[in-house]
Amino acid sequence: MSALALRRLSRTLQYGLLAAFFVFVATPMAVIVVFSFDANRFPTIPWGGFSLVWHRAAFEDPMIREAFVNSVLVGLGTAVASTVIGFSAAYLDFRHSFIGKRLFVFTVAIPPAVPATILGMAMLAFVSRIGLFGRLETIVACHTAVASSFAMALIRLRLDEFGRELEPAAWNLGASPAAALRHVVLPFCRPALIAAFFLSAAVSFDEFMIAWFVGGVHETLPVRILNQLQGQVNPKINAIGTVVLTISVVLVFLARRFTSLRPGRPVDGDDGDRP
Amino acid sequence: MTRPSIVETGPTVRRSRSLYSGSPATLPVALGLPVALWQAVFFLAPLVFLVVITFWQVRSFRLEPAFVLDNWVKILWSTPFHRALVYTLEVAATTTVLALLLAFPLAYTITFRLSEKLRDLVVALLVVPVFSSYVLRIYAWQVVLGANGVANSVLDAVGLPRLALLGGAFSLQVGLLTLTLPIAVLILVFALGGVDRTLVEAAENLGCRRRQVVTRVLIPAVRPALVLAATTTFLLAFGDYVGPLFMTGSKPPALSILVVDTVKSGSQWPRASVVGVSMLAVLATVFALGRLLASRRLRRRAA
Amino acid sequence: MTLPFVSLRGVDKRYPGHHAVRGIDLEIEAGEFVAIMGPSGCGKSTTLRLLAGLEEPTGGDILIGGENQSGIPAHLRDTPMVWQSLALFPFLNVVENVAFPLRMKRLGAGERRRRSLEWLDRMGLAGLAEREISQLSGGQRQRVALARALVTEPSILLLDEPLSALDAHLRVRMQTELSRLHKQLGITFVYVTHAQSEAFALADRIVIMNEGRIRQVGRPQDVYRAPANPFVAEFMGMNNLLRGVRRGGPAGSATIETDLGAFEVPSAVALAEDAAAVFVVAADRVSVSTDGAAPTAAASLAGTVLGLEFVGSTQTIFVETGGGREFRIQKQQHEIEALDLVPGRPVRLSWDPRHTWLLPETD
């Protein structure tokens, strides 16, 4: 085959693979959304006609409603706590050096690398021991321990663009270290803080393993789904699924909106960076 | 005459030698202490406790402190554990290989064949599934691949025979790849995007053809990212619970399933912890291997 | 006698592995424009940071306005600085940047704005108050940085190579502005630079540092004409140094025997016999001739032309003399046109001994 034809073939294969990949990624989500509006009880082809019955049923189910509220509360709590912890860790990593710094940063960064099953089990064992089992606050605390890793990463990346001299300049102009933090560092990190907030919320909203172990009677939405799935297949799942997916998508898009991270391009620099 | 500076006589709790000295260490401590405490209580302590429990006993459904090696012996020597370990390792290794084989060409296409705008869009679209409900997506695959599922309905409609897609290695890999492939692709897209284009141009200038550019320049350049993608994929596949649960009905059981089942039945915490800690040990080894691979300088082959 | 406004006494700064400032003493009068110069790593920026309180000295005292600054953290000192990178806050607009120090002093919003706008006006930036920093040109940003540092009406302004990031013509313009500003405000300026031309153009006095020590302090013209030691002499550029030992000589001068010959150098101070000595021949005091002749009363050397460098109307001629030593001669273009100097050409260098001088220190 000529070189040109070979190249055309390889191009076609590449694009084909990419398209197949997107079908692969999109299929699960499409299936859920589509069949949540299917009047049929069992998701098969042909479709049973458009209907909102399952959405209504899901909405009317008190356990689902409660789970949803729990998810929102836990998500909000996690978002706030993770952003605070993530920021503190990122800032300390950026500005200071001290003994044990590597270990310090490591303990914040590593939790997502521990399989959720093991972490959940460990957390359950421990919080039971200290009497914190079965509370929403506990789920928030455990989720935060994991989500702050993402928050820290986002904020640390933003701080990479922070000119090394901006803080000393602020001190030089009369700002105490705390004032400089409040008036210079935080405003600069604002986009990353917002992104971290939404991303932590998304992480928490999606997390089911730890919530399942630690939450006890308090189910978050993914836990409710998991429990429901272990019973019989219930078309309400699709409806919940659509809502959950929509919320996750919105949260992730919001988070992305506030990060300037792009592949293959150096991250935007700001004036004030040392040349 | 030397006088100790303010920094050297700072508080001993956390002595911080900041980039510009002259400020007391109260702020860093105020920021750092909550973080350290939080992670200590909700992350480190549970894991340490997990290891501790492996030496405890369960007497009449109650967990009691002790120091026995029974649990370790029982589990490490048990056939179900061996089987589950081998099985999970196999599965995770398969997923890793598949993910790498697929992710690299995909990332290559995305980075080099798409316009910048399109690339950004693709990345945005890929980030979404990473952070949105894995449980639901697994359930959706169940719907698609089931005996009466979407796939088979389509095959029916076209007149082809039905396939038993669910319940075997195929569906399991589908599930695990749903979890891991987007992440692997994203890692490689970022890495390939960061490769200095002048390296590629220089290679072409020196006579490398497309395939050689890929193998001789690109792959070595993104070796750390490849290792990261591989370790992340392995990590996720190895520890997954929902995938094996829904895609193969826990037959055979993966390690995570073993853990949960052991806990559910008779609250055998110590035994479950042994499995858990063993899993962590395996993962730590894989992680260490990965770091070795990423940093070791490639031995030069004879030209 | 007025007390100096800034006083550094035995100020020392030691880092693990690096002794940045070695016990320096310096006094700066109120209203003076002092430039601190030196090669990279000489400690000039560290000294400035010590003044600002961004570092604490490991020894010695710093007094500003008679008050010992030790223990006073950076944000409580009134030593605003203009940074090399300007360090303007990108998330604040122009007037907000300028108002920042006033905000830290808890001034009311109205008062802050009024004073900031006043300063923007003075710096010729009226109308740019609401602009974003990214929308300004390099020169405009410079002036915002200056306004921000001066808005609190401090008695001292620190400047850390503020012009080095600007291109040449802008730099010259800003130099004039800084000079004008200094005269207008009458406050003390402490200016760190590595560019001689800047220091010479702006400063009342210059301080030359090397390896953490002050090597010479004085008015620019004095330091240029009478360097105190070999380092300063070479740092100032167009000087030729010859080292040797004293071997007698008539009253009022010393004969210094070097490896290139013996030369007579005026010496007001009695130098011991056999003592080591270094004397300077300024590059623009050396004559070149191609016919081997030299005025009888002159000291002279034979050499070969190595190369020429042309800067404006000045030619710098590099000549290799005995022992591989390089001599630098500076002449106006028209003076040497007729000589047709090309690399390899043998020449005779000569100078009037009265135009040389002994360096007080040999190190």
Side-chain angles (χ1 to χ4, degrees), chain A residues 162 165-177 179-180 182-185 187-188 270-275, chain C residues 52 54 74-75 77 79-81 83-91 100-101 103-104 133-134 141 148-149 158 160:
Chain A
F162 190 59
E165 293 178 332
L166 289 182
E167 256 183 302
W171 301 337
N172 175 254
L173 294 169
S176 66
R182 189 172 138 218
H183 292 287
V184 175
V185 183
F188 181 82
D270 270 325
D271 299 308
D273 268 320
R274 192 170 249 284
Chain C
L54 293 169
H75 63 274
R77 296 195 199 189
T79 53
M81 190 151 112
W83 300 74
Q84 184 176 8
S85 64
L86 301 183
L88 293 172
F89 302 126
F91 47 87
F100 185 84
R103 198 158 141 220
M104 292 300 111
I133 303 295
S134 49
R141 284 185 216 174
R148 185 178 69 171
L158 307 176
D160 191 0

Side-chain angles (χ1 to χ4, degrees), chain C residues 174-342:
Chain C
M174 285 304 303
Q175 268 178 37
T176 333
E177 282 210 37
L178 276 175
S179 200
R180 177 184 63 85
L181 205 57
H182 175 246
K183 288 190 185 58
Q184 248 179 33
L185 298 173
I187 64 176
T188 315
F189 275 35
V190 181
Y191 189 96
V192 161
T193 179
H194 63 269
Q196 268 188 55
S197 52
E198 268 175 35
F200 275 52
L202 297 167
D204 294 326
R205 273 196 305 157
I206 60 178
V207 177
I208 302 192
M209 287 185 71
N210 185 37
E211 293 184 350
R213 281 184 244 270
I214 293 182
R215 302 316 311 272
Q216 192 168 355
V217 180
R219 296 184 309 155
Q221 54 268 50
D222 294 337
V223 176
Y224 185 73
R225 275 294 157 202
N229 51 65
F231 171 77
V232 175
E234 278 177 327
F235 189 71
M236 287 291 108
M238 286 299 153
N239 285 317
N240 298 293
L241 271 69
L242 287 157
R243 289 170 194 269
V245 285
R246 182 192 178 155
R247 292 263 194 266
S253 54
T255 306
I256 310 295
E257 199 166 295
T258 73
D259 56 347
L260 292 176
F263 301 93
E264 212 177 278
V265 181
S267 167
V269 185
L271 189 62
E273 186 71 7
D274 285 335
V278 182
F279 70 93
V280 175
V281 188
D284 54 354
R285 300 284 205 192
V286 180
S287 308
V288 188
S289 72
T290 43
D291 53 17
T296 36
S300 77
L301 268 181
T304 330
V305 176
L306 276 176
L308 299 102
E309 197 177 71
F310 189 47
V311 182
S313 59
T314 320
Q315 278 276 15
T316 306
I317 308 151
F318 298 89
V319 172
E320 187 174 350
T321 61
R325 192 89 60 73
E326 198 179 272
F327 241 71
R328 267 179 275 179
I329 303 106
Q330 218 170 33
K331 286 278 169 245
Q332 291 299 303
Q333 175 64 9
H334 62 89
E335 290 177 300
I336 52 153
E337 252 172 341
L339 292 175
D340 184 32
L341 296 169
V342 288

Side-chain angles (χ1 to χ4, degrees), chain C residues 16-206:
Chain C
H18 177 49
H19 200 168
V21 177
R22 299 173 196 254
I24 60 173
D25 296 288
L26 181 64
E27 289 185 345
I28 302 177
E29 304 294 328
E32 243 194 312
F33 195 128
V34 169
I36 307 183
M37 272 175 56
S40 305
C42 68
K44 55 191 193 292
S45 288
T46 312
T47 306
L48 208 68
R49 287 219 295 273
L50 285 166
L51 278 173
L54 293 169
E55 309 275 355
E56 275 291 322
T58 40
D61 292 303
I62 300 176
L63 288 92
I64 302 182
E67 227 184 285
N68 194 324
Q69 301 291 305
S70 92
I72 303 183
H75 63 274
L76 291 176
R77 296 195 199 189
D78 194 22
T79 53
M81 190 151 112
V82 178
W83 300 74
Q84 184 176 8
S85 64
L86 301 183
L88 293 172
F89 302 126
F91 47 87
L92 296 177
N93 67 21
V94 168
V95 68
E96 285 168 342
N97 257 285
V98 175
F100 185 84
L102 298 175
R103 198 158 141 220
M104 292 300 111
K105 284 196 152 84
R106 315 289 179 96
L107 248 62
E111 177 71 11
R112 287 203 308 257
R113 198 175 166 81
R114 190 185 64 76
R115 286 169 68 162
S116 309
L117 290 174
E118 200 179 286
W119 271 96
L120 283 174
D121 231 4
R122 278 171 98 157
M123 302 298 296
L125 297 168
L128 294 177
E130 309 298 331
R131 292 266 180 96
E132 294 302 318
I133 303 295
S134 49
Q135 298 173 301
L136 299 180
S137 72
Q140 288 169 331
R141 284 185 216 174
Q142 266 289 345
R143 280 182 266 152
V144 174
L146 273 167
R148 185 178 69 171
L150 292 168
V151 77
T152 52
E153 324 230 316
S155 351
I156 179 171
L157 181 66
L158 307 176
L159 302 104
D160 191 0
E161 310 208 43
L163 305 184
S164 62
L166 298 177
D167 44 350
H169 74 270
L170 206 53
R171 213 179 301 159
V172 176
R173 221 163 9 124
M174 285 304 303
Q175 268 178 37
T176 333
E177 282 210 37
L178 276 175
S179 200
R180 177 184 63 85
L181 205 57
H182 175 246
K183 288 190 185 58
Q184 248 179 33
L185 298 173
I187 64 176
T188 315
F189 275 35
V190 181
Y191 189 96
V192 161
T193 179
H194 63 269
Q196 268 188 55
S197 52
E198 268 175 35
F200 275 52
L202 297 167
D204 294 326
R205 273 196 305 157
I206 60 178

Side-chain angles (χ1 to χ4, degrees), chain B residues 72-88 253-255 258-259 271-272 274-279 282:
Chain B
W72 282 97
V73 173
K74 241 208 150 129
I75 294 290
L76 289 183
W77 263 253
S78 78
T79 343
F81 175 72
H82 291 163
R83 272 202 224 121
L85 177 63
V86 170
Y87 175 65
T88 316
L255 283 172
L258 202 63
V259 168
R271 304 236 179 104
V274 169
V275 179
V277 173
S278 313
M279 286 175 75
V282 171

